[in-house]
């Protein structure tokens, strides 16, 4: 009988500019993928986390928070809206918009979190209207039975400035 090859998240290749897809089977694997992904983040990056309730968005964020050396447990920010963590020379903001209706960034007043050289991880980003940024990552997590399908993609928005 042939042995199943063990999936190793650390061997996964998250490309700098392209796309990456992975399947995780446990919350620990999802956290480890978040840790690995965090190495790609830099000041000014915004991460859109998409997925249904319970799909693993906060678990993935826990890995990101841990990668920046934070000892505190990253819990769901559903009741607080924003949790703040250290991320080297900048701050890491975990923003959860689940309890809000669709609003613009200006209506929320979260520009400081998004546009001042920090890193923002946003759950339920579909609640933001009229939002564009050149440093955005999109992460889609789909829960199926006992696994998570995770798609990571770098989104580049072409600026309208300078166009004639």
């Amino acid at each position: 009988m042939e042995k199943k090859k063990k999936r190793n998240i650390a061997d996964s290749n998250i490309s700098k500019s392209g796309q990456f897809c992975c399947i995780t089977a446990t919350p620990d694997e999802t956290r480890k993928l978040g840790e690995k992904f965090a190495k790609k983040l830099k000041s000014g990056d915004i991460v859109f986390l998409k997925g249904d309730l319970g799909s693993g968005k906060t678990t993935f964020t826990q890995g990101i928070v841990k990668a920046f050396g934070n000892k505190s447990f990253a819990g769901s920010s559903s009741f607080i809206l924003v949790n703040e963590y250290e991320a080297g020379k900048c701050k890491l903001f975990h923003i959860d918009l689940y309890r809000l209706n669709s609003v613009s960034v200006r209506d929320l007043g979260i520009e400081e979190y998004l546009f001042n050289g920090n890193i923002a991880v946003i759950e339920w980003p579909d609640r933001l209207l009229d939002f564009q940024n050149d440093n955005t990552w999109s992460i889609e997590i789909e829960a199926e039975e006992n696994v998570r399908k995770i798609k990571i993609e770098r989104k580049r928005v072409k600026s309208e400035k300078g166009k004639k």
Side-chain angles (χ1 to χ4, degrees):
M1 180 153 78
E2 190 176 320
K3 273 188 168 182
K4 282 188 175 180
K5 186 176 180 184
K6 187 177 177 187
R7 179 177 45 255
N8 186 345
I9 300 301
D11 292 336
S12 302
N13 181 24
I14 301 174
S15 68
K16 190 171 184 177
S17 59
Q19 248 186 26
F20 171 76
C21 295
C22 184
I23 294 177
T24 62
T26 66
D28 191 48
E29 284 184 0
T30 302
R31 276 186 212 93
K32 285 180 183 177
L33 184 62
E35 281 184 67
K36 182 172 174 62
F37 169 72
K39 293 175 184 174
K40 299 291 182 189
L41 294 175
K42 60 183 179 11
S43 175
D45 279 352
I46 297 172
V47 179
F48 284 170
L49 277 173
K50 303 171 186 177
D52 292 334
L53 280 173
S55 63
K57 296 180 299 296
T58 299
T59 303
F60 189 88
T61 302
Q62 290 167 353
I64 294 172
V65 168
K66 182 179 178 186
F68 284 106
N70 292 282
K71 304 246 186 270
S72 59
F73 183 77
S76 175
S77 53
S78 291
F79 298 101
I80 300 172
L81 186 64
V82 179
N83 284 320
E84 179 180 326
Y85 305 94
E86 293 299 321
K89 295 180 181 178
C90 64
K91 300 278 185 193
L92 169 66
F93 296 105
H94 178 203
I95 302 169
D96 190 325
L97 304 178
Y98 176 70
R99 299 200 177 281
L100 302 179
N101 295 321
S102 295
V103 292
S104 75
V105 171
R106 284 187 199 94
D107 292 340
L108 265 180
I110 62 172
E111 297 94 338
E112 185 175 327
Y113 298 120
L114 303 178
F115 305 120
N116 282 344
N118 298 301
I119 298 170
V121 177
I122 303 173
E123 293 190 39
W124 303 98
D126 58 312
R127 302 318 200 246
L128 288 178
L129 303 172
D130 305 323
F131 179 82
Q132 291 189 22
N133 187 299
D134 288 334
N135 301 314
T136 303
W137 291 86
S138 175
I139 299 177
E140 295 179 32
I141 303 176
E142 184 180 338
E144 287 186 3
E145 292 186 30
N146 295 325
V147 299
R148 302 290 186 258
K149 291 182 179 179
I150 302 173
K151 177 182 168 187
I152 299 172
E153 185 176 14
R154 181 75 165 176
K155 298 287 187 178
R156 294 283 186 194
V157 178
K158 297 287 184 189
S159 175
E160 295 298 317
K161 291 179 182 178
K163 284 190 175 181
K164 293 186 180 188

